[in-house]
Amino acid sequence: MVQRMLKRLLCFGVLSCVIYASAQDVDSRKSGVQCNLDSATQKVTCDYRFPFNVDVKDVSLKVGGQPIQLEQSDISVYPAEGQTTAILFLVDVSDARRKNTVEKKNVRLIADMLAQQQAHQSIGIASFDSEFHLLTPISNDRAAIESSLKDIKAAGEATEYYKNILSAIDLLKKTEATRKGLVILSDGKDEDKAYTREDVLKAAKEAGVSILGVGFRERVSDSPYLQNIQKLAIETQGQYIDGSDGRYPSTFMAQPFAFLEKGGRIVFKGDKYNSTQDVLIVLGTRAEKPLELTTQVDFPDKRSKSEKAKEFVKANLLFLILGSVAFLAVVAYLIYFLRARKKASELPPPIEYAYLEEMSGAKTRHSLTKTAIRLGRSNDNDVYLPNDSISSHHAEIHRRREGDFYIVDLSSTNGVYVNEKLVTQTELNDGDMIELGEVRLHFYIN
């Protein structure tokens, strides 16, 4: 419930928002859905994305918890009309000793990946050592892109790893595209002093950039450095490949840009909705559980006041009935309570059969209105006498049916005295003096 309220707060007042999905064994940061409402046509367009390693077999949609029937024409895979992808290759040329890796392995891999370039994909090539070098701008000019590969030379001496990745992300941030990806080819070694991985992750998130990291180690001892690339790839919702041996997964080579381009688009009519609605896209997968992508859309309310009232009553009829019943129950209880209170106030005061008067300066008076009155030091007694010489439950005074009174000792420590005589039980007469420990009382009959 709390999470749902937070989502509503985040999406309030906008016509589109992104909420990442959650599913077992799937990193929710790699999945998401963004829905946009066209106020003129009342059409809702939902673009969704899921991890490259998820095998989706079917797609379904729910709005406000209700299933929506989708036609085949309502669903399309990425890229839909008008969607584009921008990709920048960033090659680490900082070590002249890596000449074979940089100028052969890296160049060969880039050429093989370029062979899979699609019309909607724009590609640029850059290299870095201590500085960032843009070899060819991001474009669809295949000839210029391929020509720039000859300019990739291992000639640098120092690696300012994170600084130059930030430069690449900044370039992608300024590029107009639906999805943006950075392909880093490096050994992961870092000589930065001013920048960190956290700086890169923050910039990538703000720019919407995912990273495909391809690591190349020259020696086994270099393996730990590859983690610098791997962590960036994983934490920016991308993919990591170890290219040290020059062999790559066939699925990767067939779709090298899949880390960016899994997903599609759903379009549906939103004219029957008039408030904030939950939008749920369910992706059936080969795994046990489906992948659910959730967001919310705020639909404008065009109903008249009377239509709003009718629909409110219809939607909340049960609650209105229950509320009315509860209201009537409360009113009935209040009436009963007030009548009972009035009746109680009209009752005559209890009859005072007798009373005890303490023989102290205050002459405190204790009414005897019941047929059995208990006296003692504990405050649960009918006559409370807070004196240490008195037992917790010291004595009882009883009124018999005939109207006479007698006192009974309740096994007290200091006993009961009537007219200075120790008793365990005796009749009381008007004016008798009772002693309980250090407390003395006069007994009077009304």
Side-chain angles (χ1 to χ4, degrees):
M1 178 65 75
V2 173
Q3 290 179 342
R4 185 171 180 175
M5 291 173 66
L6 287 174
K7 289 180 183 179
R8 288 183 181 276
L9 288 172
L10 289 170
C11 296
F12 183 78
V14 297
L15 295 183
S16 68
C17 63
V18 178
I19 300 295
Y20 288 118
S22 60
Q24 189 176 21
D25 300 326
V26 174
D27 187 344
S28 64
R29 295 173 302 171
K30 300 180 183 179
S31 311
V33 55
Q34 178 176 330
C35 294
N36 296 281
L37 171 66
D38 187 325
S39 56
T41 63
Q42 289 297 295
K43 276 191 174 182
V44 180
T45 301
C46 293
D47 292 313
Y48 62 92
R49 179 178 177 180
F50 56 87
F52 68 89
N53 56 353
V54 174
D55 188 5
V56 173
K57 60 180 181 178
D58 56 63
V59 182
S60 60
L61 174 69
K62 289 183 179 180
V63 179
Q66 299 299 316
I68 303 297
Q69 184 66 41
L70 295 173
E71 302 296 334
Q72 193 62 40
S73 58
D74 298 330
I75 308 173
S76 58
V77 298
Y78 186 88
E81 182 180 357
Q83 292 184 312
T84 59
T85 300
I87 303 158
L88 179 64
F89 284 88
L90 183 62
V91 185
D92 184 350
V93 297
S94 61
D95 190 347
R97 294 172 296 179
R98 299 178 64 246
K99 183 179 180 68
N100 182 64
T101 296
V102 172
E103 298 179 14
K104 292 185 178 180
K105 290 183 180 181
N106 289 180
V107 170
R108 187 183 307 117
L109 175 60
I110 295 173
D112 290 341
M113 293 175 70
L114 288 175
Q116 304 299 325
Q117 182 182 4
Q118 305 294 316
H120 68 282
Q121 295 168 341
S122 300
I123 294 177
I125 307 290
S127 65
F128 75 95
D129 40 36
S130 59
E131 298 295 334
F132 176 82
H133 311 284
L134 182 61
L135 305 181
T136 182
I138 298 173
S139 71
N140 295 97
D141 189 342
R142 176 74 70 84
I145 297 168
E146 291 177 345
S147 176
S148 67
L149 295 181
K150 68 179 184 300
D151 297 324
I152 298 176
K153 303 294 183 182
E157 296 182 358
T159 309
E160 296 194 48
Y161 185 70
Y162 294 120
K163 183 191 81 169
N164 291 298
I165 294 175
L166 286 169
S167 297
I169 290 173
D170 185 60
L171 178 61
L172 283 165
K173 183 178 181 179
K174 297 173 183 177
T175 303
E176 291 292 331
T178 309
R179 298 187 184 181
K180 302 174 184 182
L182 177 62
V183 182
I184 302 175
L185 298 89
S186 173
D187 60 2
K189 291 182 179 179
D190 163 33
E191 296 176 73
D192 273 313
K193 300 298 182 183
Y195 301 96
T196 65
R197 185 173 82 249
E198 286 68 30
D199 296 325
V200 171
L201 294 177
K202 180 181 178 182
K205 182 178 180 181
E206 292 175 352
V209 172
S210 294
I211 293 175
L212 168 62
V214 186
F216 296 89
R217 68 174 182 273
E218 302 301 321
R219 294 171 295 278
V220 175
S221 59
D222 291 339
S223 296
Y225 297 111
L226 297 184
Q227 294 179 13
N228 290 332
I229 311 173
Q230 187 175 16
K231 287 180 179 179
L232 285 180
I234 292 173
E235 294 179 28
T236 58
Q237 310 159 21
Q239 183 181 4
Y240 174 74
I241 300 291
D242 190 337
S244 301
D245 58 5
R247 292 179 293 182
Y248 309 97
S250 58
T251 53
F252 167 70
M253 294 309 299
Q255 292 182 304
F257 307 117
F259 76 103
L260 274 177
E261 300 199 332
K262 289 288 187 176
R265 171 177 288 178
I266 291 177
V267 180
F268 66 94
K269 289 288 286 183
D271 51 351
K272 65 179 180 179
Y273 305 107
N274 46 52
S275 61
T276 300
Q277 298 291 334
D278 293 327
V279 176
L280 175 66
I281 296 178
V282 182
L283 305 177
T285 69
R286 306 293 177 187
E288 181 180 350
K289 289 189 176 182
L291 178 60
E292 296 185 347
L293 312 178
T294 307
T295 186
Q296 291 180 326
V297 176
D298 290 333
F299 294 91
D301 196 342
K302 298 182 178 180
R303 297 172 298 169
S304 65
K305 291 183 178 179
S306 60
E307 289 173 333
K308 290 180 182 178
K310 289 179 182 178
E311 291 187 21
F312 176 81
V313 171
K314 184 178 178 180
N316 298 278
L317 183 59
L318 177 60
F319 296 102
L320 291 172
I321 293 173
L322 293 175
S324 299
V325 171
F327 174 75
L328 292 174
V330 171
V331 171
Y333 173 77
L334 288 174
I335 292 173
Y336 169 79
F337 174 77
L338 292 173
R339 284 180 176 176
R341 186 174 179 181
K342 181 179 179 183
K343 185 177 180 181
S345 66
E346 293 173 351
L347 292 175
I351 298 173
E352 185 184 62
Y353 300 110
Y355 64 91
L356 296 170
E357 186 177 86
E358 294 185 27
M359 297 173 64
S360 61
K363 293 187 177 294
T364 303
R365 176 176 172 141
H366 304 281
S367 293
L368 307 184
T369 59
K370 299 191 297 185
T371 57
I373 301 294
R374 190 172 63 193
L375 302 85
R377 191 178 73 250
S378 177
N379 59 13
D380 63 345
N381 290 284
D382 300 301
V383 176
Y384 171 48
L385 302 170
N387 188 289
D388 291 341
S389 66
I390 297 179
S391 298
S392 296
H393 302 110
H394 200 110
E396 279 187 345
I397 297 176
H398 293 267
R399 180 179 183 272
R400 293 172 176 170
R401 183 176 300 177
E402 294 78 11
D404 53 341
F405 294 85
Y406 66 96
I407 188 167
V408 178
D409 185 0
L410 298 178
S411 302
S412 64
T413 301
N414 293 320
V416 175
Y417 291 82
V418 176
N419 298 325
E420 299 183 348
K421 181 180 178 181
L422 180 65
V423 300
T424 56
Q425 177 177 326
T426 189
E427 184 177 355
L428 292 174
N429 297 301
D430 187 53
D432 283 348
M433 183 181 70
I434 301 171
E435 293 181 73
L436 308 177
E438 298 174 354
V439 177
R440 295 191 300 170
L441 309 103
H442 270 133
F443 172 76
Y444 296 105
I445 298 174
N446 278 342

